[in-house]
Amino acid sequence: MDFPRRALITGITGQDGLYLAELLLSKGYVVFGLVRGQSNPKRELLHRIIPEVKVLTGDLTDVSSLIRVLSIAGPHEVYNLGAISFVGYSWENAALTSDVTALGVLNMLEATRLYAGSDMGKVRFYQASSSEMYGKAQEVPQTERTLLWPRSPYGVAKAFGHHMTINYRESYGMHASSGILFNHESPRRGPEFVTRKVTLAVARIRLGLQETLALGNLDARRDWGFAGDYVDAMWRMLQQPEPDDYVIATGKSHSIRDLLDVAFAAVGISDWSRYVTQDSTLIRPAEVESLIGDASKAHATLGWKPEVDFRSLVSMMVEHDLANQKHLV
Ligand code: NDP
Ligand code: GDR
């Protein structure tokens, strides 16, 4: 094995990209990150948080930029995390979501194949697949073998990327693995996602900075884990002798109401009903009602287990948001 190991991460400015970069740096990797756009403000943020990352400019919709970036980075491992990842936004921007979240995967796979040339063994590929591919879930809990029935343009795009990754594995013998990750959250989660929207609002309500919080469907259920635990599973997949697909999940599901219970309780509020309103414009055209994953294969093969439970995760996020909003009081 060559040392030091070199990794290229797309989506490095996102929640998972930051945790994965920290993990790989702690293992001695040289980490390259793909950042898009001519003046992306996240570039400065990334440099401030993790200055060791070597930033390269490119875009998943521009295959020539990916070929260039791969030839500069010379990676042993490629983690394809870049995507338009907000499900709600994907209905309003379905073609753009398909370009980035579906065709972007093909672009990255093809650029990686060209980079590997006749030596397919020189690079390993990770694709960020999603539990959203199960959509109208056909089985409970969901496993690697559950039929995909996506319910949003995002879910459809992820299903394309998932099958294309399997196809590159089968067609070219590429060491390409797909992690079917269920929802994972952290203080770095974007504020458009429901967990962070709730923890930020709870902190602000507690501090007197906000009066109410408008949400959509309160009955949806998700299997929520901690992003820091989930990036470790990505790395473990690429250390296996053979590529494969793995569900990564906690095996426990909670509703949005449960999320509200735990988040408001963290600031001493037991009855949240007077603070929460329902906004019908936040109800999705087709909802994914309930997801819960069975990660037995990852437990057995990767030796992976989640460390942070739902209650600790939500409390961690509320604590973080209380601290970062305090200066506004
Ligand atoms: P984020 O939305 O936080 O990050 C998405 C990243 O993709 C950002 O760095 C963004 O860059 C980048 N990106 C967007 N468009 C492009 C483009 N055209 N070219 C290159 N990069 C682009 O997502 P997460 O970190 O939460 O998730 C990482 C991956 O895992 C995504 O693919 C997501 O779909 C998938 N996933 C996430 C789950 C979760 O619960 N978090 C669960 C299952 C799958 P910029 O910052 O410039 O916008
Ligand atoms: P999801 O996450 O769609 O599962 O995709 P999100 O947090 O956006 O929604 C979870 C559930 O909460 C309901 N909900 C609301 N959601 C948002 N964002 N805002 C609201 O106000 C609101 N009210 C209720 C939603 O209807 C939904 O049922 C995330 C993303 O990270 C994807 O990229 C990833 O692939 C999947 O998780 C697994």
Side-chain angles (χ1 to χ4, degrees), residues 85 130 154 183 189 192 194 197 216 220 222 256 284 287:
S85 78
S130 163
Y154 168 83
N183 299 53
R189 188 59 144 153
E192 64 272 36
V194 74
K197 184 174 172 180
R222 288 292 184 276
I256 311 296
R284 296 176 175 180
E287 177 63 291

Side-chain angles (χ1 to χ4, degrees), residues 70 190 200 248 280 286:
L70 279 158
L200 199 50
I248 301 298
S280 60

Side-chain angles (χ1 to χ4, degrees), residues 61-187:
T61 60
D62 179 348
V63 73
S64 64
S65 75
L66 304 178
I67 292 168
R68 179 179 43 77
V69 160
L70 279 158
S71 74
I72 297 169
H76 304 93
E77 297 173 14
V78 172
Y79 294 86
N80 188 36
L81 311 186
I84 287 182
S85 78
F86 183 35
V87 174
Y89 176 88
S90 76
W91 275 281
E92 286 149 15
N93 299 273
L96 181 63
T97 302
S98 304
D99 283 347
V100 178
T101 305
L103 290 177
V105 183
L106 174 58
N107 288 341
M108 202 62 210
L109 283 163
E110 185 58 11
T112 304
R113 184 177 77 84
L114 294 172
Y115 158 71
S118 56
D119 181 11
M120 244 348 132
K122 92 175 190 193
V123 60
R124 296 181 173 195
F125 188 96
Y126 173 83
Q127 170 55 22
S129 288
S130 163
S131 54
E132 275 293 298
M133 302 187 304
Y134 297 123
K136 190 173 173 185
Q138 299 296 297
E139 193 179 17
V140 179
Q142 293 86 52
T143 74
E144 293 80 6
R145 305 188 70 78
T146 302
L147 181 72
L148 306 185
W149 194 308
R151 297 268 281 172
S152 63
Y154 168 83
V156 172
K158 280 289 175 187
F160 173 93
H162 181 66
H163 286 298
M164 197 53 86
T165 302
I166 295 169
N167 187 255
Y168 266 64
R169 181 160 83 213
E170 294 179 353
S171 303
Y172 304 115
M174 190 186 277
H175 192 296
S177 293
S178 188
I180 307 173
L181 272 54
F182 283 62
N183 299 53
H184 45 279
E185 320 293 315
S186 73

Side-chain angles (χ1 to χ4, degrees), residues 288-318:
V288 172
E289 295 294 349
S290 181
L291 292 174
I292 180 165
D294 174 356
S296 313
K297 181 174 165 183
H299 297 167
T301 311
L302 306 178
W304 177 85
K305 275 206 164 52
E307 301 288 336
V308 178
D309 68 11
F310 177 68
R311 205 164 273 279
S312 314
L313 170 66
V314 176
S315 302
M316 176 204 309
M317 292 173 70
V318 171

